[in-house]
Amino acid sequence: MTTQRIAVILRNGQPDETVTVQGWVRTKRELKEFAFVEVNDGSAMANLQIVIDPKLSNYENIVKQLNTGASIEVVGVLVASPAKGQRIELKASMVIVYGDADPQTYPLQKKRHSFEFLRTIAHLRSRTNTYSAVFRVRNACAYAVHQFFQERGFLWVHTPIITASDCEGAGEMFSVTNFDLTKIPRNDTQQIDFSQDFFGKPAYLTVSGQLEAEVMAMAFGNVYTFGPTFRAENSNTSRHLAEFWMIEPEMAFCDLEGDMDLAEAFLKYIFKYVLENCREDMEFFNDRIDNTVLATAENMINNQFERLTYTEAVALLEKADKQFEFPVKWGLDLQSEHERYLAEELFKKPTIVTDYPVGIKAFYMRLSDDEKTVRAMDILAPKIGEIIGGSQREERLDILERRIEAQGMNKDDLWWYLDLRRYGTVPHAGFGLGFERVVQFMTGMGNIRDVIPFPRAPLTIDF
């Protein structure tokens, strides 16, 4: 008999229907008349209650093994449940125990565990209610990402994980080498001789697939990346990961206004999809993690995003009746406290800030006519600050070369990127969204390490 997922049974199962389920024991209660076992297979927040009659063959030996964490298969008949809060339960006719779990050592017991503790057992934490809900929402977000772009004719491109370029100019990258680290070859000046390395030059884990996505956009029009990226920033804050996933669309024949329109529609689409398909999980987060989760999602879906320039934002911040920790001055980057004030307190909805000073943005952003600002945009969200960063890209060869030189970068390293401006250049734009950041924002989880199955951070690589 085909195994059915518990989510399907809870939703569609009918009395007198024979089903087979497989999952892990959450709790067990033994009474004189029956034993009750709650089983979960990860498909839903709710468990399926299994009723085991003492008349069942080998009853005592089976029940003895049904400890929290044990894996089982149950065949039985669905019956209407007399218990409050559940429509249906399963009366077992056969129980198979695949793997027991020693109750003396199994670390997940029927009590509240701190997220800090659960990070130390990342191989088991996905069996808890909170993390199973997080990863169902993460899955739904990923599905919605692909569905959004595929419905609009975008091509999904797989950009390199190993790269020779630093897209952002940040310099905090993980090196990739084939050298024996105890015998690194050096040249006459005692510099590392990368000509003997695997790629013949320094190589790194990528911080972004944007530049390669621009290449593909110049042939296919609209493309997007969705894959892992890496930052070697030695930070232990609740907002930083060393390995995370990025979504980066690039659109040919597109300006900043089109970029903003797509980014706003994108965020609304993801939130709407998750609310419709993970309602139970989102209600759990609203009840147990952050009681503004549902209101935040509705705010994202139902409001037109506010739009203003960086210059206008700075003027509003200077007039604000609020003491900021970091200074507000034209030419300085906005800090998280400034971004949250705009989105959370002033406009009370997602806010797009555009046209940032040229000195605080990347070389590839299109220079405005005033030559003081670039055609950049950041989407700021209540409670989190920046959630999307994007821009119209600089499509003019002479200005792009000038920007690269001004930032002390080597034009020769980007010869292929400059070629895009020599051969069939067009106005184009794109943005980047950190996937974990949007999952964290959506669920209300306090630490970004709790929305990725196996977080990578300083001194954190056990799993």
Side-chain angles (χ1 to χ4, degrees), residues 36-254:
F36 295 99
V37 177
E38 299 278 338
V39 175
N40 192 285
D41 65 0
S43 63
M45 176 70 65
N47 305 318
L48 178 64
Q49 180 164 279
I50 311 296
V51 184
I52 305 176
D53 194 306
K55 297 176 184 177
L56 190 71
S57 176
N58 205 21
Y59 170 83
E60 289 188 5
N61 186 51
I62 287 173
V63 170
K64 189 183 299 182
Q65 299 177 71
L66 297 181
N67 300 308
T68 299
S71 55
I72 66 173
E73 177 177 312
V74 182
V75 179
V77 176
L78 295 176
V79 296
S81 176
K84 185 179 179 181
Q86 57 186 33
R87 183 181 65 86
I88 209 158
E89 58 190 24
L90 180 60
K91 187 174 182 180
S93 58
M94 182 181 73
V95 178
I96 300 172
V97 179
Y98 285 107
D100 195 2
D102 185 345
Q104 302 302 316
T105 59
Y106 185 61
L108 294 175
Q109 296 300 321
K110 193 177 180 180
K111 65 177 183 178
R112 293 184 70 89
H113 297 288
S114 72
F115 294 144
E116 290 78 11
F117 167 73
L118 291 171
R119 281 179 219 129
T120 69
I121 54 167
H123 59 305
L124 297 172
R125 68 176 182 168
S126 53
R127 300 186 191 184
T128 66
N129 284 338
T130 299
Y131 287 100
S132 63
V134 165
F135 298 134
R136 280 190 296 270
V137 167
R138 183 185 173 100
N139 172 72
C141 283
Y143 185 90
V145 167
H146 287 295
Q147 188 163 280
F148 175 85
F149 288 117
Q150 294 294 327
E151 286 176 355
R152 287 158 178 77
F154 280 65
L155 184 79
W156 181 25
V157 297
H158 302 127
T159 52
I161 289 176
I162 301 174
T163 182
S165 66
D166 179 355
C167 176
E168 299 291 339
E172 295 169 333
M173 304 175 74
F174 290 103
S175 296
V176 176
T177 182
N178 196 41
F179 284 150
D180 178 345
L181 297 184
T182 64
K183 302 174 183 177
I184 297 176
R186 297 183 181 274
N187 57 27
D188 294 340
T189 60
Q190 293 303 302
Q191 300 297 309
I192 295 173
D193 185 2
F194 284 103
S195 67
Q196 298 186 47
D197 205 356
F198 189 90
F199 294 105
K201 62 173 64 177
Y204 311 94
L205 294 180
T206 187
V207 299
S208 170
Q210 178 201 314
L211 302 190
E212 291 86 358
E214 286 188 53
V215 170
M216 301 300 283
M218 293 302 105
F220 294 96
N222 293 337
V223 304
Y224 71 104
T225 75
F226 187 5
T229 53
F230 307 85
R231 295 283 173 91
E233 185 175 0
N234 189 11
S235 174
N236 278 294
T237 77
S238 61
R239 297 181 61 183
H240 287 89
L241 287 167
E243 177 184 310
F244 54 98
W245 286 62
M246 283 287 288
I247 302 146
E248 297 174 292
E250 287 291 328
M251 295 80 69
F253 307 99
C254 182

